[in-house]
Amino acid sequence: MAKVARGRGTRSNASGRFEPERVEDFDDGWTEDDAGAAPLRTTLMPERARTIIARNQSPDVGFDRSINPYKGCEHGCVYCYARPSHAFMGLSPGLDFESRLFWKPEAARLLERELSAPRYVCKRLHIGGNTDPYQPVERELKSTRAILEVLQKFRHPFSIITKSVLIARDADILGEMARARLASAFVSITTLDRALARAMEPRASTPEKRLEAISRLASAGVPVGVGFAPVIPGLNDHELEAVLQAAARAGATSAMYVTLRLPLEIKDLFREWLADARPDRAARVMSLIRQTRGGRDYDPDWSQRMRGTGPVADLIGARFRAATKRYGLIAPRHDLDVGQFRVPPEFRPQGDLFDAA
């Protein structure tokens, strides 16, 4: 086992599945102090993207278009379902994913161009469907902030999800848009245990700060929900009711959950982390996970991959439904108004100037 990189989630940096040669960590007995190794630092690389709106046709995802200001995520959540996407860039879903990040310098301009296209049809945009739009680098880059400003200018409805208190920085935009039925938000809270959060999500906001984010958004008039995701049987599932109760007290009005998914490289990364961080319960946790996936580490079937199947998954679902009812987290879905969408005059083709009656 390689020495744990301070402030990082995964324990290794094995090559992605598309690489012809496989590189893995090897323990030769030397420590970082012996070798004089520098700490693992985050690097940021610009991505020269041609588009900013991503589309999907997954029947179990509640949106068909999304925006991800960043690729990779410095939060370092060991369970992150987005990790395998780093393999498409020849990088590791392990430490590379949380330390070698990409961002789109032209994100706002690209969005203005796509929303101004004559054939564009307005539907809800989801921000953060892959990686977190409010990870630490957003403090300086303000890429997510620039995207929100464009959506506000075009009166375009959107939803957003994060596990960072940094979202409260943009409460001015989110609040104004929400009051016009153009925005909603979710904050993900996986545990109230600071030690577990630190081990599992090393650079994300603390549980207390995420509750603060819910409170500040609710005070700004934003309909905000809590995401208890992922539910990891044997590790954090016992906190389900406590997390939902705390979120409701902070101002959340709805809730969702997703059972842990371990596709592709994530299963090995999670097993490795679990054996190191929680060796006393590693075998039981993996057994319970397999009980929700038909005896396997993961079942990709769209009809059940978000919830799982079997008695363990059924019990989680029953507890969730009872808790949401008990704590009043049953607000109807916040329907966003696509009818307010407009292309500002400065982005319209010149011919539109003659369309006014």
Side-chain angles (χ1 to χ4, degrees):
M1 180 75 67
K3 185 173 181 179
V4 178
R6 184 176 180 182
R8 300 297 180 178
T10 52
R11 302 308 196 242
S12 60
N13 206 38
S15 301
R17 60 193 179 281
F18 301 118
E19 300 311 295
E21 296 181 357
R22 186 168 182 82
V23 178
E24 296 184 1
D25 293 324
F26 173 73
D27 186 359
D28 60 2
W30 294 102
T31 66
E32 289 185 2
D33 292 337
D34 292 329
L40 182 62
R41 300 190 183 280
T42 299
T43 60
L44 194 63
M45 295 159 279
E47 179 186 1
R48 302 302 174 186
R50 291 183 294 178
T51 60
I52 190 67
I53 300 176
R55 288 173 167 79
N56 78 84
Q57 297 179 336
S58 299
D60 59 346
V61 176
F63 52 87
D64 67 354
R65 59 192 69 185
S66 60
I67 295 176
N68 292 288
Y70 303 101
K71 288 183 178 178
C73 185
E74 199 174 3
H75 283 163
C77 303
V78 66
Y79 52 74
C80 182
Y81 60 80
R83 284 183 177 275
S85 63
H86 243 46
F88 289 106
M89 293 173 285
L91 297 173
S92 172
L95 291 172
D96 281 348
F97 175 81
E98 51 194 279
S99 63
R100 300 180 67 177
L101 312 182
F102 296 82
W103 71 297
K104 303 175 179 70
E106 298 294 315
R109 184 187 64 81
L110 289 171
L111 183 57
E112 290 172 345
R113 186 181 69 187
E114 291 182 53
L115 298 185
S116 301
R119 295 186 178 181
Y120 180 78
V121 177
C122 178
K123 293 179 67 176
R124 175 173 66 100
L125 273 168
H126 184 65
I127 303 174
N130 199 41
T131 55
D132 202 303
Y134 286 106
Q135 53 187 290
V137 295
E138 169 63 17
R139 294 188 183 94
E140 290 74 41
L141 296 180
K142 297 182 174 63
S143 183
T144 298
R145 172 80 185 190
I147 288 168
L148 296 185
E149 289 172 346
V150 172
L151 295 174
Q152 185 179 38
K153 187 186 307 180
F154 280 72
R155 310 308 290 169
H156 195 296
F158 68 91
S159 55
I160 190 166
I161 187 169
T162 185
K163 57 184 60 174
S164 173
V165 71
L166 186 57
I167 190 175
R169 177 201 65 186
D170 296 333
D172 56 335
I173 295 177
L174 291 164
E176 187 279 322
M177 292 287 277
R179 289 189 292 274
R181 294 179 53 231
L182 292 172
S184 61
F186 261 82
V187 175
S188 174
I189 302 177
T190 51
T191 178
L192 299 178
D193 182 338
R194 286 176 63 99
L196 178 59
R198 180 65 171 170
M200 192 165 58
E201 309 157 335
R203 298 197 177 191
S205 294
T206 64
E208 294 85 357
K209 284 294 183 181
R210 295 185 218 182
L211 290 170
E212 178 186 327
I214 290 175
S215 178
R216 291 171 65 180
L217 291 174
S219 295
V222 181
V224 56
V226 58
F228 186 56
V231 182
I232 307 174
L235 189 62
N236 73 341
D237 61 313
H238 65 284
E239 294 189 73
L240 186 152
E241 289 84 1
V243 168
L244 297 187
Q245 182 181 33
R249 287 175 174 171
T253 57
S254 61
M256 53 81 71
Y257 80 97
V258 176
T259 304
L260 178 68
R261 297 185 283 156
L262 296 175
L264 301 170
E265 293 93 345
I266 304 176
K267 63 180 182 298
D268 293 328
L269 292 168
F270 183 77
R271 281 177 177 273
E272 184 180 51
W273 173 86
L274 192 61
D276 182 54
R278 295 293 186 272
D280 58 321
R281 65 180 69 183
R284 174 164 174 74
V285 170
M286 288 308 304
S287 174
L288 291 170
I289 289 171
R290 287 191 292 270
Q291 290 177 50
T292 69
R293 300 298 179 185
R296 295 181 286 174
D297 288 345
Y298 180 59
D299 183 351
D301 185 346
W302 279 341
S303 68
Q304 57 78 36
R305 65 174 180 167
M306 296 297 185
R307 298 287 188 264
T309 58
V312 173
D314 291 345
L315 178 59
I316 291 171
R319 288 173 54 201
F320 176 82
R321 290 188 293 274
T324 54
K325 183 176 181 180
R326 183 183 312 138
Y327 302 124
L329 295 168
I330 53 176
R333 179 175 175 176
H334 186 66
D335 291 326
L336 304 180
D337 185 4
V338 298
Q340 296 183 50
F341 173 75
R342 64 168 185 257
V343 178
E346 62 267 31
F347 296 105
R348 295 176 188 164
Q350 188 173 359
D352 287 0
L353 296 174
F354 304 99
D355 291 341

Short mmCIF file of all heavy atoms in Angstrom, two decimals, residues 211 214-215 242-252 327 329:
data_model
loop_
_atom_site.label_atom_id
_atom_site.label_comp_id
_atom_site.label_asym_id
_atom_site.label_seq_id
_atom_site.Cartn_x
_atom_site.Cartn_y
_atom_site.Cartn_z
N LEU A 211 -24.66 22.14 5.94
CA LEU A 211 -25.93 22.55 6.55
C LEU A 211 -26.07 24.07 6.53
O LEU A 211 -27.17 24.60 6.31
CB LEU A 211 -26.01 22.02 7.98
CG LEU A 211 -26.16 20.51 8.12
CD1 LEU A 211 -25.97 20.09 9.59
CD2 LEU A 211 -27.53 20.05 7.62
N ILE A 214 -27.31 25.08 3.13
CA ILE A 214 -28.75 24.90 3.00
C ILE A 214 -29.48 26.07 3.64
O ILE A 214 -30.42 26.63 3.06
CB ILE A 214 -29.18 23.56 3.64
CG1 ILE A 214 -28.68 22.39 2.80
CG2 ILE A 214 -30.70 23.50 3.78
CD1 ILE A 214 -28.96 21.03 3.42
N SER A 215 -29.05 26.45 4.83
CA SER A 215 -29.71 27.54 5.55
C SER A 215 -29.61 28.86 4.79
O SER A 215 -30.60 29.60 4.67
CB SER A 215 -29.08 27.68 6.94
OG SER A 215 -29.66 28.74 7.66
N ALA A 242 -30.76 10.91 10.69
CA ALA A 242 -30.12 12.06 11.32
C ALA A 242 -29.76 13.13 10.30
O ALA A 242 -29.92 14.33 10.55
CB ALA A 242 -28.86 11.62 12.08
N VAL A 243 -29.26 12.71 9.14
CA VAL A 243 -28.90 13.67 8.09
C VAL A 243 -30.15 14.39 7.58
O VAL A 243 -30.16 15.62 7.42
CB VAL A 243 -28.17 12.97 6.93
CG1 VAL A 243 -28.07 13.89 5.71
CG2 VAL A 243 -26.78 12.52 7.37
N LEU A 244 -31.22 13.64 7.33
CA LEU A 244 -32.44 14.26 6.81
C LEU A 244 -33.05 15.21 7.84
O LEU A 244 -33.54 16.29 7.49
CB LEU A 244 -33.45 13.19 6.41
CG LEU A 244 -33.02 12.26 5.26
CD1 LEU A 244 -34.18 11.36 4.86
CD2 LEU A 244 -32.52 13.05 4.05
N GLN A 245 -33.02 14.83 9.10
CA GLN A 245 -33.56 15.70 10.15
C GLN A 245 -32.75 17.00 10.24
O GLN A 245 -33.33 18.10 10.33
CB GLN A 245 -33.56 14.99 11.49
CG GLN A 245 -34.15 15.83 12.62
CD GLN A 245 -34.12 15.11 13.96
OE1 GLN A 245 -33.21 14.34 14.23
NE2 GLN A 245 -35.13 15.36 14.80
N ALA A 246 -31.43 16.89 10.23
CA ALA A 246 -30.59 18.08 10.31
C ALA A 246 -30.80 19.00 9.11
O ALA A 246 -30.84 20.23 9.24
CB ALA A 246 -29.11 17.67 10.41
N ALA A 247 -30.94 18.41 7.92
CA ALA A 247 -31.16 19.22 6.72
C ALA A 247 -32.50 19.92 6.77
O ALA A 247 -32.62 21.09 6.38
CB ALA A 247 -31.07 18.33 5.48
N ALA A 248 -33.53 19.22 7.26
CA ALA A 248 -34.85 19.84 7.37
C ALA A 248 -34.81 21.02 8.34
O ALA A 248 -35.41 22.08 8.08
CB ALA A 248 -35.87 18.81 7.81
N ARG A 249 -34.12 20.85 9.44
CA ARG A 249 -34.00 21.95 10.40
C ARG A 249 -33.27 23.14 9.81
O ARG A 249 -33.52 24.29 10.17
CB ARG A 249 -33.27 21.45 11.65
CG ARG A 249 -34.11 20.54 12.53
CD ARG A 249 -33.29 19.98 13.69
NE ARG A 249 -34.11 19.21 14.61
CZ ARG A 249 -33.62 18.48 15.60
NH1 ARG A 249 -32.32 18.42 15.81
NH2 ARG A 249 -34.44 17.82 16.40
N ALA A 250 -32.34 22.87 8.87
CA ALA A 250 -31.57 23.95 8.24
C ALA A 250 -32.37 24.67 7.16
O ALA A 250 -32.00 25.77 6.76
CB ALA A 250 -30.28 23.39 7.64
N GLY A 251 -33.46 24.06 6.69
CA GLY A 251 -34.29 24.73 5.69
C GLY A 251 -34.56 23.95 4.43
O GLY A 251 -35.24 24.44 3.52
N ALA A 252 -34.05 22.71 4.34
CA ALA A 252 -34.35 21.89 3.16
C ALA A 252 -35.82 21.52 3.14
O ALA A 252 -36.45 21.33 4.19
CB ALA A 252 -33.48 20.64 3.17
N TYR A 327 -40.02 14.31 8.54
CA TYR A 327 -39.33 15.59 8.66
C TYR A 327 -39.81 16.63 7.63
O TYR A 327 -39.22 17.69 7.50
CB TYR A 327 -37.83 15.40 8.54
CG TYR A 327 -37.29 14.45 9.59
CD1 TYR A 327 -36.56 13.32 9.24
CD2 TYR A 327 -37.54 14.68 10.95
CE1 TYR A 327 -36.08 12.44 10.20
CE2 TYR A 327 -37.07 13.80 11.92
CZ TYR A 327 -36.34 12.69 11.53
OH TYR A 327 -35.88 11.82 12.49
N LEU A 329 -39.90 16.59 4.34
CA LEU A 329 -39.08 16.76 3.13
C LEU A 329 -39.82 16.21 1.91
O LEU A 329 -39.28 15.44 1.11
CB LEU A 329 -37.74 16.05 3.31
CG LEU A 329 -36.84 16.63 4.39
CD1 LEU A 329 -35.67 15.69 4.68
CD2 LEU A 329 -36.32 18.01 3.99
#
